[in-house]
Amino acid sequence: MSALHTSPLHADFYADRMVQHETVLEQNERIAEATYRLRVSAPAIASIAVPGQFVMIRLAGVDAPLIGRALAIWDVLPDQDGKPTYIDLIYLKKGTFTTACAESPLGTKVSLWGPLGNGFNARACDRLIMAVGGIGQTPMLLLGREAIGSQSFGRANGWAKQVELIYGARRESLLAGVPEFREAEFDVRLCTDDGSAGQQALVPDVLAARLDELSDPASIRVVTCGPEIMMEKVAEVCRERGVDCQVSMETPMACGIGICFSCVAKVKQDDGGWDYKRTCVEGPIFDADKIVW
């Protein structure tokens, strides 16, 4: 994507820009409780993806499940010549596909298509706060790196002076990817339901306390991904304090290209009403104040 576009209906977001890859699992390792990271070679996707986009992936030749699974792009890595080639995806082992994927050996054939969705907007700010829960950390590593300027995706980077991560889970063993966030030099704040890591608190409460410590809401931007109830509370915290907030919706998807209309979300319109929008095409990123929760 060569330029920043604010409209999710811009041609850059049409699903007909997607690339389909037939590739194999090059890495597939457990990184936390029931949580795995896989790596595939997909240079045509890696070279044009932006933070917040996703791919649809399925095990080639397997008809249970027949449809693909939407997974956010966790990382983009170069080959030996420095060209974007590999993509990493993080998934939670809980359903038919993810269980089969976790049990697949290296070399297993997979099909994937993408990049899909609109991705996060590269809106400039002094401080970017990423508030995530559950498996919602997956689109944030690339966004944070772009924000502080350590990685580029063919559009503006270095648009934030500081990047913070507030990451919550039920317990410490479910926290995945924390070393990578720390290596990226983000300010990492952890919270767990049982107090086994970081604060014993919920993400929206930690965010509220953090925002109340800061003096200039106009210089802060929040992005959030995770359970819908958590994102609703994060959006409320930001709205009450006049802080800009974008959400990455995790609505279940079947096709990923806007055909089936199974992933719709209620989105406010300029006339005061609302309409259904496909999170796979018009999203998955929306301004928080546009969502009808």
Side-chain angles (χ1 to χ4, degrees):
M1 199 171 296
S2 59
L4 171 63
H5 301 295
T6 58
S7 170
L9 297 181
H10 189 279
D12 269 357
F13 304 135
Y14 292 174
D16 59 10
R17 291 187 70 250
M18 74 178 186
V19 180
Q20 182 161 346
H21 270 286
E22 302 298 326
T23 185
V24 299
L25 293 178
E26 302 211 6
Q27 291 186 19
N28 192 25
E29 60 181 349
R30 183 178 178 274
I31 59 171
E33 179 184 339
T35 308
Y36 293 75
R37 182 183 62 226
L38 67 82
R39 178 171 299 170
V40 294
S41 174
I45 296 175
S47 63
I48 61 174
V50 298
Q53 289 189 300
F54 65 95
V55 298
M56 297 292 292
I57 181 169
R58 66 183 298 270
L59 298 174
V62 175
D63 58 7
L66 180 62
I67 62 175
R69 175 71 184 270
L71 294 177
I73 298 174
W74 161 253
D75 205 355
V76 172
L77 302 105
D79 64 9
Q80 59 184 6
D81 297 320
K83 297 178 180 179
T85 300
Y86 303 98
I87 61 173
D88 282 3
L89 310 171
I90 289 179
Y91 62 95
L92 188 65
K93 179 184 175 183
K94 61 183 296 185
T96 303
F97 168 77
T98 50
T99 298
C101 195
E103 296 171 354
S104 295
L106 300 186
T108 296
K109 294 181 179 180
V110 297
S111 300
L112 68 158
W113 51 102
L116 299 168
N118 55 355
F120 287 104
N121 198 309
R123 291 201 284 259
C125 60
D126 285 344
R127 186 185 305 270
L128 175 69
I129 301 179
M130 305 180 293
V132 304
I135 200 72
Q137 85 282 19
T138 53
M140 300 301 179
L141 181 64
L142 295 185
L143 180 67
R145 287 180 185 160
E146 178 188 67
I148 61 174
S150 62
Q151 198 164 355
S152 177
F153 300 93
R155 62 180 194 176
N157 70 339
W159 41 264
K161 296 177 182 177
Q162 295 175 290
V163 174
E164 299 182 16
L165 175 76
I166 299 173
Y167 180 13
R170 295 194 303 275
R171 53 188 174 273
E172 182 178 17
S173 60
L174 289 167
L175 295 167
V178 174
E180 286 87 343
F181 286 117
R182 287 180 169 148
E183 288 168 9
E185 299 184 347
F186 306 155
D187 180 4
V188 177
R189 300 166 189 264
L190 303 178
C191 57
T192 48
D193 292 355
D194 64 0
S196 54
Q199 295 177 252
Q200 186 173 8
L202 301 176
V203 169
D205 296 332
V206 176
L207 174 65
R210 180 61 179 142
L211 291 177
D212 290 343
E213 293 175 353
L214 302 171
S215 59
D216 184 9
S219 69
I220 302 167
R221 179 181 168 200
V222 171
V223 293
T224 185
C225 185
E228 187 167 309
I229 185 62
M230 184 212 78
M231 291 194 292
E232 181 180 0
K233 294 297 184 182
V234 165
E236 181 181 331
V237 165
C238 292
R239 183 176 64 253
E240 291 173 347
R241 292 160 177 77
V243 173
D244 177 52
C245 180
Q246 280 194 310
V247 300
S248 177
M249 300 298 288
E250 291 192 323
T251 312
M253 300 177 189
C255 73
I257 57 176
I259 295 174
C260 69
F261 283 79
S262 67
C263 65
V264 293
K266 291 181 178 180
V267 178
K268 297 175 185 177
Q269 304 300 291
D270 293 339
D271 63 4
W274 62 267
D275 195 4
Y276 285 115
K277 298 296 181 182
R278 297 162 295 176
T279 58
C280 67
V281 177
E282 285 92 359
I285 314 302
F286 296 94
D287 286 338
D289 61 3
K290 295 291 187 181
I291 299 295
V292 180
W293 300 100

